[in-house]
Amino acid sequence: MTVVRMKDLSDGGLRLYSGMTDGQLKRGEGLGPGLGNGAFIAESLRVIERALDAGVRPISLFVEEHWFEHERPVIERVEADYPETTVYVASNGQFRELTGYEVTRGALAAFERPPLPGMDEVLEGARRVAILEDVANYANMGSLFRSAAALGIDAVLVSPSCHDPFYRRCARVSMGAVFQVPWTRIDAPREWAPSTVPILRDRGFTVMAMALRDGAVPLDACIGQTGGRVALVLGTEGDGLFESTIEACDRTVIIPMAHEVDSLNVAVAGAIAFWELRR
């Protein structure tokens, strides 16, 4: 392992931490053929550890001098498993100058983006699946993954236009759960359901859309009638699910609410629904 204590900020390896958006990192813009799948930045010790637990390969670590001893266990772990990794150590002022903000959670790490598995691999053995449609808010996306991990969801499918679970703030909100729950992106047009729901149905899933529609039934009333394998579709706030999604699904379900409240934040609704699916 190479430990570089920064004298200036011109080292090319630091480009990953400054001047590149999450989207550019994802596309691997200018990162060379060795990072053909792109890269992502992980922030906080928990997220870094869970990425390592999942076998994701680190490219480098970037840590402030006063966090170095605190982060030593993960630095030593990376040194043992990935000795080619560079650790950049910067002063507080250098860190802020490069990143534009002050991190109070410890190290940052750049990771090689792993290729996503196919849908068949993700669904293998899964009985409870969450499908996220057009969720574009990183906090909601991260919270949904955290709840999915905590409440026993076996796999997550994200629609073509969902927020990327590997993006830095999403992974941080999830507390690294994006590396614990098997997931992949649906390979389909933006209105994915007409082509994808039949595939799920052929695999024995009852596909249920959470939506405020006439005829929707309480989720807890139909869990025992599904035949065992359930895929639950949650949509973005505001517009909700596509009409084509609702029409393609087997059932439309709701969470019963009081005091004329008609909806919940999608992350809250997801946590409640995942709890119900545990039955």
Side-chain angles (χ1 to χ4, degrees):
M1 172 179 284
T2 302
V3 176
V4 179
R5 283 180 161 78
M6 306 307 303
K7 295 180 179 177
D8 60 59
L9 302 179
S10 62
D11 190 303
L14 293 174
R15 179 170 175 264
L16 290 163
Y17 301 97
S18 175
M20 295 187 71
T21 66
D22 282 327
Q24 289 172 322
L25 288 167
K26 179 182 179 182
R27 295 187 294 272
E29 293 185 8
L31 298 183
L35 293 173
N37 289 321
F40 66 88
I41 301 299
E43 179 181 324
S44 84
L45 182 61
R46 180 62 59 85
V47 176
I48 294 169
E49 287 179 333
R50 286 183 170 166
L52 293 171
D53 290 343
V56 186
R57 187 181 75 83
I59 302 165
S60 62
L61 301 177
F62 187 34
V63 61
E64 287 184 62
E65 182 69 54
H66 74 273
W67 278 103
F68 189 86
E69 288 303 317
H70 182 272
E71 304 297 281
R72 183 176 288 278
V74 76
I75 291 170
E76 291 178 346
R77 176 181 177 181
V78 170
E79 181 178 19
D81 294 340
Y82 303 94
E84 73 281 4
T85 304
T86 299
V87 179
Y88 297 101
V89 182
S91 69
N92 179 267
Q94 288 173 321
F95 197 98
R96 284 201 316 273
E97 180 182 346
L98 188 77
T99 65
Y101 60 91
E102 186 163 356
V103 171
T104 58
R105 301 172 183 85
L108 298 178
F111 282 91
E112 181 177 349
R113 179 178 287 267
L116 292 180
M119 191 163 72
D120 286 344
E121 181 180 346
V122 168
L123 296 178
E124 181 71 28
R127 298 184 62 80
R128 292 165 292 187
V129 173
I131 303 176
L132 310 182
E133 179 182 282
D134 277 24
V135 178
N137 179 282
Y138 74 85
N140 286 336
M141 194 74 161
S143 294
L144 284 163
F145 266 88
R146 188 174 181 182
S147 295
L151 299 174
I153 294 298
D154 299 313
V156 176
L157 302 178
V158 301
S159 77
S161 50
C162 263
H163 194 82
D164 188 339
F166 285 155
Y167 280 8
R168 177 176 61 85
R169 290 189 290 180
C170 181
R172 186 187 70 208
V173 171
S174 81
M175 295 293 286
V178 297
F179 306 108
Q180 295 178 297
V181 183
W183 70 272
T184 196
R185 191 173 295 275
I186 296 169
D187 184 13
R190 186 180 179 196
E191 295 200 27
W192 58 275
S195 61
T196 305
V197 168
I199 296 172
L200 293 165
R201 195 177 290 124
D202 288 345
R203 285 159 173 72
F205 285 94
T206 299
V207 187
M208 301 190 294
M210 289 192 68
L212 296 171
R213 291 292 186 274
D214 292 339
V217 298
L219 176 62
D220 59 345
C222 64
I223 292 298
Q225 306 168 14
T226 60
R229 303 188 87 185
V230 179
L232 183 67
V233 188
L234 300 102
T236 186
E237 295 182 59
D239 294 337
L241 297 176
F242 292 124
E243 287 296 331
S244 61
T245 298
I246 297 171
E247 292 172 5
C249 289
D250 299 305
R251 300 181 185 181
T252 306
V253 296
I254 55 172
I255 297 171
M257 287 176 271
H259 302 294
E260 299 183 356
V261 176
D262 64 357
S263 65
L264 295 168
N265 170 277
V266 66
V268 175
I272 294 170
F274 299 161
W275 174 261
E276 288 293 342
L277 290 183
R278 293 174 81 242
R279 299 195 294 140

